[in-house]
Amino acid sequence: MSPKPKAYLVGGGIGSLAAAAFMIRDGGVPGENISIFEALPVMGGSLDGAGDAAGGYSLRGGRMLTTDNYECTWNLFKSIPSLNHAGKSVYDETVEFNELHKSHAQARLVDRRRAKVPVTSMGFSMQDRMELLKLSRAEEALLGSSCITDWLSPAFFETEFWFMWATTFAFQPWHSAVEFKRYLHRFMLEFSRIETLAGVKRTIYNQYDSMVRPLQTWLKAQGARLVSDCQVTDLDFKTEGGKFIVTGIHCLRQYDNEVIAVNDGDLVFLQNGSMTDASSLGSMTSAPAKLTKEDSGSWALWEKLAAGRPQFGNPAAFNNCIAQSCWESFTVTLKNPGFFDLMDKFSGNEAGTGGLVTFKDSNWLMSIVLAHQPHFLNQPDDVQVFWGYALFPDRVGNFIPKPMADCNGAEILEELCGHLRFDLEIVKTANCIPCRMPYITSMFMPRLQGDRPLPVPPDSKNFAFISQFVEIQADTVFTVEYSVRAAQMAVYELLGIPLKVPAVTPHDKSLHTEFEALLKAFK
Ligand SMILES: Cc1cc2nc3c(=O)[nH]c(=O)nc-3n(C[C@H](O)[C@H](O)[C@H](O)COP(=O)(O)OP(=O)(O)OC[C@H]3O[C@@H](n4cnc5c(N)ncnc54)[C@H](O)[C@@H]3O)c2cc1C
């Protein structure tokens, strides 16, 4: 390997940005040798956040993080300077913020009577406990491509635990039993505090402003090339001594095709698949367009490369059923503090100290989160922003006789105010922007061993995968951590960096944690 390789990263999500930073920080690769190609106009992938008070803000997602897990994420952000607090890292400022604004949700579940559901008990029967224990102890080889419903009886899906766990992590009953089991282990500490979300850590602003912006600023200062509006359509390759070697990258930029030569010793990283591929925004007067992967590009290259190469995984396991992987979120911009005041009174939580408020009997299974304000760097003092989502957008609402998928922002607000018994007057000047995400839980689809490639496949010389769709033992998808961990693993292996990737903390092996979880299960 050349001592100063060039590195090309396909996709500009947090995975690629993190990989670029690890190459510079730990691999000594000069920033100017690194290029990131992103199809969209901005970097950050799923960690988006955009808009202004006039046109309305929008986020596809709001993220919960922890400091008990997220080992690689914090390892990275301890090295990235804060943009707002001179002399501090992003990690420092996040920890300090969370000391001041501790999560302690007091209205985690709300029922059809608009009553807060008591959630100190998880609602398990003895059968639920036995089945959960059996699933949590089953080997992954035995679980295979089975679904959660193959292991847990119908009554389990009516427990308080399921409503809280499913809506915190976005699980559906038909999702992968392996992934559900991994979550039980990885987030065992959350089991004992799921009803208050006391373990959850938030960033100061949305994750674009608080994570992507500083990371991107640091990478640019190191000389890295961040190229947006650039779709990579194909890779040229050769095979030498049984090793797969990428030799060229086909880029489509503003309708021009360009082929970049990849020389001996250079490296290529691909973000294969994306949970926010083909996502679309609506408005107060229109529902989001119903797009599919045919309208977008994140899956195409992986599909092309994996055809006939089992070591590159099986994208169809994840992207072949929108009905099982789709849900919708929405972002509401308010210019009247009334909604936040009423929620403060109703929930008992000042914005930023609660968590998800889930309307457990709502047909759409709708939840909202009121983050600490301002939630955007450019948000004026007299504007508030909150985010919500629903796991069943295909169902007719309780107050709006339509599936959420066909609703505009005004109709979503009406449904929400119906569940809260708030006068519609309170949201008269609100701007609600819905967002449809057809592949949002594609990572949770039932899968077989081998459906996800290793970050560096065994026969690859200069090529790695960085995404939610790679196989990393014991870690859990649908997290920022998974992409950052994939990045650190891929970079250390391809560059031969003699450092250790931080281990997944074995909270599940701690007798104390296990005891707390058991106590909770029997409450
Ligand atoms: C609604 C929502 C809620 C979430 N909640 C949480 C949470 O609470 N906690 C948590 O930790 N995580 C959460 N996540 C998950 C987290 O945001 C993601 O796991 C992470 O951002 C994925 O990053 P990535 O870089 O792997 O992929 P992505 O963000 O998907 O980025 C991949 C990028 O690659 C680009 N790309 C792909 N192929 C090509 C190509 N051929 N050419 C050019 N560009 C290409 C795509 O356009 C995309 O921008 C949530 C995500 C969403 C959407």
Side-chain angles (χ1 to χ4, degrees), residues 135 143 145-152 173-178 324 446:
L135 169 55
L143 294 171
S145 63
S146 62
C147 306
I148 305 171
T149 43
D150 293 330
W151 293 82
L152 299 164
W174 53 81
H175 281 153
S176 157
V178 169
Q324 291 178 33

Side-chain angles (χ1 to χ4, degrees), residues 208-255:
Y208 183 80
D209 284 335
S210 286
M211 299 179 101
V212 174
R213 216 184 266 281
L215 182 50
Q216 185 174 275
T217 304
W218 185 81
L219 288 172
K220 281 186 185 161
Q222 310 300 313
R225 282 179 66 223
L226 275 54
V227 186
S228 52
D229 288 313
C230 176
Q231 174 88 36
V232 173
T233 53
D234 209 352
L235 299 179
D236 293 331
F237 59 89
K238 63 181 180 186
T239 310
E240 252 177 34
K243 292 278 185 191
F244 180 90
I245 303 169
V246 179
T247 56
I249 300 173
H250 292 244
C251 298
L252 182 63
R253 293 188 67 184
Q254 289 159 349
Y255 308 105

Side-chain angles (χ1 to χ4, degrees), residues 10-16 37-40 42 44-48 60-65 70 168 230-233 270-277 297-299 301 327 329 387 437 440 443 466-468 477-483:
V10 181
I14 188 72
S16 280
F37 305 120
E38 168 56 54
L40 300 176
V42 284
S46 304
L47 294 189
D48 64 332
R60 285 181 287 206
R63 274 144 211 103
M64 292 171 280
L65 312 170
Y70 289 73
T168 300
C230 176
Q231 174 88 36
V232 173
T233 53
L270 170 68
Q271 296 221 266
N272 52 314
S274 171
M275 66 179 72
T276 46
D277 188 51
S298 290
W299 299 98
L301 192 49
W327 48 254
S329 67
W387 179 86
M437 295 175 282
I440 184 65
M443 314 76 62
I466 296 174
S467 73
Q468 295 284 306
V477 289
F478 214 158
T479 59
V480 171
E481 173 66 10
Y482 204 82
S483 302

Side-chain angles (χ1 to χ4, degrees), residues 10-63:
V10 181
I14 188 72
S16 280
L17 299 175
F22 288 127
M23 279 192 265
I24 296 169
R25 187 190 76 178
D26 300 333
V29 178
E32 61 267 22
N33 284 16
I34 298 176
S35 304
I36 302 181
F37 305 120
E38 168 56 54
L40 300 176
V42 284
M43 295 286 149
S46 304
L47 294 189
D48 64 332
D52 55 35
Y57 291 97
S58 108
L59 308 154
R60 285 181 287 206
R63 274 144 211 103

